[in-house]
Amino acid sequence: MTRFLFKRILSTIPVLLGVTIFVFLLIQLIPGDPAKSILGGDATTEAVEALRVEMGLNESMIVQYTSWMGDLLQGDLGYSHTLHTPITEELLPRFLNSMILTVTSLFICVVLGVILGLISALRKGSIFDKASMGVALIGASMPVFWIALMLMWLFSLEMGLFPVSGMYNMRSPGGLPDLLHHLLLPAFATATVSLAVIARLTRSTIIDTLQKDYVKYFQSFGLSNSKINIVHVLRNSLPPIINISGMQVGYLMGGALFSEVVFNWPGIGQALYVAVTSNDYPTIQAGILLIAITFVIVNLIVDLLNVWLSPKLQDSIKSNAG
């Protein structure tokens, strides 16, 4: 197992390297001159050329990538010529704010999705099952920004239950309760689509697990249905649920970008929105890189969790090692 874990962690290194190459080329292949876009159309040729030299754009792509990677390994994400500040100082606090929103959204969609899916599977064909899966199907079809706007209109503007924007009350920040008060609406808006996906997958997985022979075997011994459903059925259904939950992290981070703009949440999505509108290429590059690396790391954690929860996978790994 130790050897497998070591190999699995090592295997992420070429993936992360590939991510850096992809992100670098993605920005490099954007049409136009980044220096001219930053300075504007009225900039002189001398000013544009000076900025190109400062940004290293006069060097070959290999030299630019090597220099960029060298800075990354030292924790330097570059310099924003639009904001006139190091990108690390600008993005890292916002990235942490985005992680708060994403993790809360993940918690909401996993907990509610598993509960709804479990109840629907155990009451297959009931009114609750049909209603919850119907709502889940509708929820999975809605864009995040529209859900965010509707939640803001209903619960903030009409009912006045939640603040319209921000992360804290600027006049009198109230610590954790104030943060949660501002966090709930954008987190729920971000989680809605993934919640629907997880609920539907959980339902189908548990229905399939309930048909297994070992469930009937436990029932023949007179074990209570609640114990069978929670200890055995739900446990054996966890690997696919964890898999789909890990895959949803990328979608949640993408959805968080829209929620951050709508609710004015000071996260990396809002920073990327400003960077795109101001042609701040280094900030765009750094923001995309942080999101991509986070997604790779989350998938690594999901794989390790699946091995930990699945005795079959553990036996398979041990037999291959032997």
Side-chain angles (χ1 to χ4, degrees):
M1 282 299 298
T2 304
R3 184 183 301 175
F4 167 79
L5 295 177
F6 183 69
K7 288 182 177 180
R8 185 63 187 87
I9 294 171
L10 279 181
S11 68
T12 60
I13 295 177
V15 175
L16 292 173
L17 182 62
V19 166
T20 62
I21 294 173
F22 175 78
V23 172
F24 176 79
L25 292 177
L26 184 68
I27 300 300
Q28 291 292 321
L29 295 177
I30 294 177
D33 187 346
K36 192 169 184 179
S37 298
I38 292 173
L39 294 176
D42 297 331
T44 63
T45 305
E46 292 77 11
V48 172
E49 187 59 32
L51 183 56
R52 283 181 57 82
V53 172
E54 185 179 348
M55 296 177 67
L57 299 176
N58 58 325
E59 303 286 352
S60 66
M61 291 182 63
I62 295 178
V63 173
Q64 290 183 52
Y65 175 76
T66 305
S67 176
W68 181 60
M69 275 298 297
D71 291 337
L72 285 180
L73 293 174
Q74 299 178 54
D76 183 4
L77 294 175
Y79 185 82
S80 171
H81 295 273
T82 301
L83 300 175
H84 304 288
T85 183
I87 296 174
T88 304
E89 296 179 5
E90 178 67 22
L91 279 193
L92 284 187
R94 290 178 172 271
F95 180 72
L96 294 177
N97 294 340
S98 292
M99 286 298 98
I100 292 173
L101 177 58
T102 302
V103 170
T104 305
S105 302
L106 182 64
F107 177 80
I108 291 173
C109 68
V110 170
V111 172
L112 293 184
V114 170
I115 291 174
L116 288 176
L118 176 61
I119 296 174
S120 295
L122 297 178
R123 298 183 179 181
K124 181 183 176 183
S126 66
I127 296 177
F128 177 87
D129 177 31
K130 295 177 181 178
S132 61
M133 290 302 104
V135 172
L137 181 60
I138 295 173
S141 307
M142 293 182 179
V144 173
F145 72 88
W146 187 85
I147 297 173
L149 288 171
M150 291 301 100
L151 289 177
M152 177 187 288
W153 168 75
L154 179 61
F155 292 103
S156 297
L157 300 179
E158 291 295 324
M159 303 178 67
L161 297 177
F162 295 95
V164 175
S165 65
M167 190 172 176
Y168 292 99
N169 187 332
M170 299 302 294
R171 294 182 178 178
S172 56
L176 182 59
D178 190 25
L179 172 62
L180 294 176
H181 192 210
H182 284 76
L183 176 61
L184 189 58
L185 276 191
F188 194 84
T190 305
T192 301
V193 176
S194 295
L195 191 159
V197 172
I198 292 174
R200 291 175 64 83
L201 177 80
T202 301
R203 177 184 180 274
S204 62
T205 302
I206 290 178
I207 288 176
D208 181 64
T209 306
L210 286 170
Q211 307 303 318
K212 301 294 184 182
D213 291 336
Y214 67 82
V215 175
K216 298 175 183 178
Y217 176 78
F218 287 132
Q219 289 173 340
S220 67
F221 277 88
L223 292 178
S224 64
N225 286 332
S226 59
K227 184 175 183 179
I228 294 173
N229 293 333
I230 295 174
V231 176
H232 300 286
V233 174
L234 185 57
R235 177 186 172 90
N236 284 279
S237 301
L238 281 179
I241 294 173
I242 291 174
N243 266 334
I244 194 66
S245 299
M247 293 174 63
Q248 291 303 306
V249 170
Y251 186 86
L252 288 171
M253 293 189 72
L257 305 185
F258 295 101
S259 297
E260 288 176 10
V261 174
V262 172
F263 287 98
N264 196 29
W265 183 269
I268 198 171
Q270 191 185 62
L272 283 175
Y273 174 76
V274 174
V276 169
T277 56
S278 59
N279 297 318
D280 189 350
Y281 293 102
T283 300
I284 298 172
Q285 191 174 43
I288 295 174
L289 180 67
L290 285 174
I291 293 172
I293 289 176
T294 302
F295 185 67
V296 171
I297 293 174
V298 167
N299 276 277
L300 170 63
I301 295 172
V302 167
D303 287 348
L304 299 181
L305 277 175
N306 277 330
V307 173
W308 178 61
L309 289 171
S310 176
K312 290 183 179 180
L313 285 176
Q314 294 176 18
D315 294 339
S316 175
I317 291 168
K318 290 176 181 178
S319 62
N320 291 335

